Amino acid sequence: MSLKFKLVYGAILAILIPFAIAGIIIYIQLSKTLVDLTLGKLVINAQNLSQLLDERLMREITFATTIASSKDVLAEAKNGEYSKIQRGIEEIQKRIDSNFVIYFLDKNGISQASTIFTTEIGLDLSDRDYFINAKRVRKTVISEPVFSRGRSSLGELLVVIAAPVFDEEEFYGIIGLPFKLDYFLDILLQRK
């Protein structure tokens, strides 16, 4: 090789190597910055979605607790007047113009009233954690996803809000609001 060729080749390498190194460093830094920005946005979106679900669940918890703490529901549960509870929750259903289920389990965990699935009356749910927990802590609880036992929705995954009906001395049952998991997915998808 001639000296001229070696000088030209050396000059080209002397120019290209720093550019290649600088390009690699810039690529790595930009990639890290983009990943950090994306992760930051994902965290913010997850927090917003979590807050949205919390707000919706709090609204449903308040709704169930309000029904369960009604003096009429308490008196009717004490006296075993389940047909009055049935009429009462049906009236609530009509007023709120909603198609979700409201049901009542007596102190033994037996379904005694239901707004939509009246064929489920008599169903024994006494072994469900949400029933047991609501009875034990006497506060509104939210179940983990459970498989439905009702004939009309057999095997579907549900989350149940269970509000206890009780006075200072005695537990009389729960007001339950079951939600399909699709309900929560719909909430998330509606958020744009």
Side-chain angles (χ1 to χ4, degrees):
M1 286 212 261
S2 71
L3 182 59
K4 182 178 173 184
F5 180 75
K6 287 181 183 178
L7 286 175
V8 169
Y9 184 70
I12 290 173
L13 286 177
I15 293 172
L16 289 180
I17 289 176
F19 277 121
I21 292 172
I24 291 170
I25 291 171
I26 290 171
Y27 174 78
I28 291 170
Q29 287 179 342
L30 283 176
S31 295
K32 183 182 180 323
T33 302
L34 287 173
V35 167
D36 290 346
L37 286 172
T38 302
L39 287 176
K41 280 189 164 192
L42 288 174
V43 167
I44 290 170
N45 284 339
Q47 288 171 337
N48 289 339
L49 292 174
S50 174
Q51 182 180 4
L52 180 67
L53 282 175
D54 281 349
E55 288 170 3
R56 185 63 68 93
L57 278 174
M58 284 308 300
R59 189 175 80 190
E60 306 304 351
I61 288 169
T62 301
F63 179 63
T65 304
T66 301
I67 296 169
S69 62
S70 160
K71 290 180 182 177
D72 291 338
V73 170
L74 177 60
E76 292 158 358
K78 276 183 178 182
N79 297 324
E81 297 173 327
Y82 304 128
S83 60
K84 288 184 177 180
I85 293 174
Q86 178 71 36
R87 285 192 299 273
I89 62 176
E90 285 174 349
E91 187 59 37
I92 291 168
Q93 181 87 24
K94 287 177 192 172
R95 279 189 273 152
I96 61 172
D97 192 33
S98 177
N99 62 355
F100 65 83
V101 178
I102 305 169
Y103 67 86
F104 174 77
L105 300 182
D106 67 16
K107 65 183 176 184
N108 299 312
I110 307 299
S111 176
Q112 298 294 343
S114 178
T115 54
I116 294 179
F117 301 118
T118 55
T119 58
E120 309 300 337
I121 293 175
L123 186 64
D124 184 355
L125 298 171
S126 60
D127 63 336
R128 293 292 188 156
D129 284 341
Y130 61 84
F131 175 78
I132 294 166
N133 291 335
K135 183 177 183 177
R136 183 176 49 82
V137 299
R138 296 194 182 190
K139 291 182 180 174
T140 302
V141 297
I142 302 174
S143 76
E144 293 183 5
V146 294
F147 289 104
S148 173
R149 287 190 193 150
R151 290 180 294 268
S152 38
S153 59
L154 188 61
E156 289 188 44
L157 269 177
L158 304 173
V159 172
V160 179
I161 296 174
V165 177
F166 66 97
D167 62 16
E168 294 176 11
E169 301 166 15
E170 186 101 23
F171 171 80
Y172 295 100
I174 67 158
I175 291 292
L177 301 177
F179 296 95
K180 293 179 185 177
L181 291 183
D182 293 348
Y183 172 79
F184 300 104
L185 183 60
D186 289 344
I187 291 170
L188 297 177
L189 292 177
Q190 288 175 3
R191 185 180 185 286
K192 302 283 187 216

